[in-house]
Amino acid sequence: MTIEKRLGQRFLPYGANYLRWPDMSELRQAVESGVLFRYQTESDSMATRLERQVAEQLGVGHVLAVHNCTEALRLALVSTRPRTGDPVYIPAVTFVAVAGAVLSTGLVPVPVDVDESFALDGSLLPPDARRVVVAHMEGSVAPLPEGVPHVIEDAAQALGAAFPDGRRTGTRGWAGAFSFHHNKILTSGEGGLLVTDDAAAYAVMRCYHDHGSARVPGRYPTWKEGAYYGENLVTSEEVAAVQLQQFRHLDEVLAGLESHYAITAQELPERRDLALLPRSAGDAKTSVRLRLESRELRDAAVALLSARGIPHWTLDKYFLPEHPVLTSRNSLYADGFPWNLAGDLPQAVSRDGFARTRSLLDRTLCVPLSPELPEAEQRLAAKTLRQTLEVL
Ligand SMILES: *Cc1c(COP(=O)(O)O)cnc(C)c1O
């Protein structure tokens, strides 16, 4: 089978390739125990094991498993104890889940320009910014703004990446959120984690995520006098079991990505109209990001890769200033909540009406990397990509 065929056949991203039945001992154990609810017993649940494992592996004080990263972001935002209608500064380039998380907690998203590598440009934040979501897009580590009390790191696409000081993404801000959606570095179909070093915030998060209760595992929940309301964001044992299996492969996934990245970067053709977007040492190398000279050339490359069945994507979908969720300012609430609270908040923070951000996106093309391939096949894939880009 040609490498194109093999790559195009059934593209599975990252951790999904490591889901192998003989390796699912935790899942088997969870099912055999007959208990898939994490708080059914006082003894260690899969979810508790997962949280402990992640705390150790990522080096963070507290970890809470929830259903997905969007919930993790919502939980982080509400745990900052905001006033409804408060602004939250978010990157102009990220998945719309970030805007949805902000709005659904009664807050107002304000998109901010990004830099060359799609990191929120902290230098543009107003001095009174209190809540900022920074997203580590495509595994690349974004710098965190200084002096903001609540920096929430969206590390959905960057599990295991590390800042220059060695600390892991998601663990340096006030809180960090991770995703186990199918397309992410590790997967359980859906799944999310919220992490923080702030013990008091963790207590609030844990309480809110379980109906506002002060539950002791193995018992019916109890509510303290003055309890605030919550939701049910409690994870399931079978999901935590799959996540534990996935975490056993994290270092292997990251090493496989690193290898494929290095091979691909070396193979890229020398063209003046095409450049590799730089990555830093600590990035999780989920893709090779190419910057082309023009939108036309980028679109031609997209057509060529599609014709040859080589997996690829653009980041156009992440341009929030033109996303219908933000432009429409619609809401299911009859009074337009929370947009009706936006008042004279800035609608966006940009140097040039997002012209530069738009142009960067227009010229960017991502080719995913395959950590699971043996080195020889990674070389073949890199060669195929080179040959395709050469005839562009
Ligand atoms: C996938 C993703 C999310 C949402 O994660 P879910 O687990 O699907 O809710 C949020 N932010 C970014 C940057 C993402 O890529």
Side-chain angles (χ1 to χ4, degrees), residues 289-353:
R289 296 178 303 173
L290 303 171
R291 179 76 36 82
L292 292 104
E293 193 177 58
S294 66
R295 162 129 205 183
E296 291 68 33
L297 190 64
R298 195 282 305 267
D299 290 345
V302 166
L304 198 54
L305 291 171
S306 303
R308 297 194 171 191
I310 299 173
H312 60 277
W313 53 68
T314 71
L315 303 179
D316 301 10
K317 58 194 178 233
Y318 293 142
F319 188 55
L320 294 187
E322 281 176 14
H323 197 289
V325 162
L326 280 106
T327 55
S328 74
R329 299 201 139 205
N330 270 341
S331 161
L332 288 177
Y333 289 95
D335 61 357
F337 174 84
W339 293 113
N340 60 339
L341 304 174
D344 49 15
L345 288 180
Q347 292 219 8
V349 177
S350 172
R351 287 198 177 87
D352 55 5

Side-chain angles (χ1 to χ4, degrees), residues 50-314:
L50 170 77
E51 291 166 351
R52 208 166 40 225
Q53 165 74 25
V54 175
E56 205 169 287
Q57 209 165 331
L58 298 187
V60 66
H62 305 279
V63 180
L64 187 64
V66 293
H67 294 133
N68 54 59
C69 178
T70 311
E71 276 181 4
L73 290 169
R74 293 185 62 243
L75 187 49
L77 286 162
V78 77
S79 300
T80 65
R81 311 301 301 265
R83 284 177 189 281
T84 53
D86 276 348
V88 180
Y89 297 88
I90 68 173
V93 176
T94 190
F95 184 41
V96 72
V98 177
V102 171
L103 289 160
S104 63
T105 44
L107 306 173
V108 178
V110 181
V112 179
D113 261 335
V114 294
D115 66 15
E116 284 277 326
S117 64
F118 302 113
L120 179 141
D121 184 346
S123 70
L124 295 178
L125 291 170
D128 62 350
R130 304 198 56 76
R131 294 175 184 81
V132 178
V133 177
V134 170
H136 303 293
M137 300 303 286
E138 299 274 327
S140 62
V141 180
L144 305 186
E146 309 268 328
V148 177
H150 292 111
V151 174
I152 297 169
E153 290 180 65
D154 178 345
Q157 301 187 8
L159 177 62
F163 289 94
D165 67 2
R167 288 159 77 187
R168 301 295 187 123
T169 50
T171 69
R172 270 192 57 201
W174 172 76
F178 297 92
S179 173
F180 292 88
H181 177 268
H182 172 72
N183 284 329
K184 311 295 160 126
I185 293 175
L186 300 182
T187 184
S188 53
E190 295 276 4
L193 293 175
L194 180 57
V195 309
T196 184
D197 275 322
D198 181 335
Y202 168 72
V204 170
M205 291 164 181
R206 188 179 180 285
C207 179
Y208 186 91
H209 110 298
D210 190 15
H211 306 286
S213 79
R215 188 198 294 268
V216 174
R219 319 252 180 88
Y220 194 77
T222 55
W223 285 264
K224 293 191 177 135
E225 201 56 45
Y228 43 85
Y229 68 84
E231 298 180 57
N232 178 4
L233 313 179
V234 178
T235 194
S236 262
E237 287 291 273
E238 74 280 16
V239 173
V242 173
Q243 291 164 346
L244 272 168
Q245 184 268 351
Q246 288 277 290
F247 260 96
R248 283 197 272 112
H249 294 280
L250 178 60
D251 290 343
E252 198 183 337
V253 172
L254 294 173
L257 288 170
E258 196 72 47
S259 145
H260 197 181
Y261 180 81
I263 291 169
T264 310
Q266 246 184 2
E267 277 284 349
L268 284 180
E270 299 259 335
R271 289 180 65 132
R272 272 191 292 127
D273 52 8
L274 181 155
L276 180 64
L277 261 179
R279 281 194 174 274
S280 45
D283 285 4
K285 316 287 195 304
T286 54
S287 64
V288 162
R289 296 178 303 173
L290 303 171
R291 179 76 36 82
L292 292 104
E293 193 177 58
S294 66
R295 162 129 205 183
E296 291 68 33
L297 190 64
R298 195 282 305 267
D299 290 345
V302 166
L304 198 54
L305 291 171
S306 303
R308 297 194 171 191
I310 299 173
H312 60 277
W313 53 68
T314 71

Side-chain angles (χ1 to χ4, degrees), residues 15-35:
N17 292 284
Y18 298 77
L19 292 167
R20 295 184 198 116
W21 192 233
D23 190 36
M24 307 305 285
S25 54
E26 294 93 348
L27 180 58
R28 196 179 298 272
Q29 200 185 325
V31 171
E32 283 175 356
S33 77
V35 176

Side-chain angles (χ1 to χ4, degrees), residues 32-51:
E32 283 175 356
S33 77
V35 176
L36 298 179
F37 175 52
R38 76 169 292 185
Y39 292 131
Q40 190 61 30
T41 59
E42 279 173 52
S43 60
D44 255 8
S45 67
M46 285 294 164
T48 305
R49 276 174 56 187
L50 170 77
E51 291 166 351

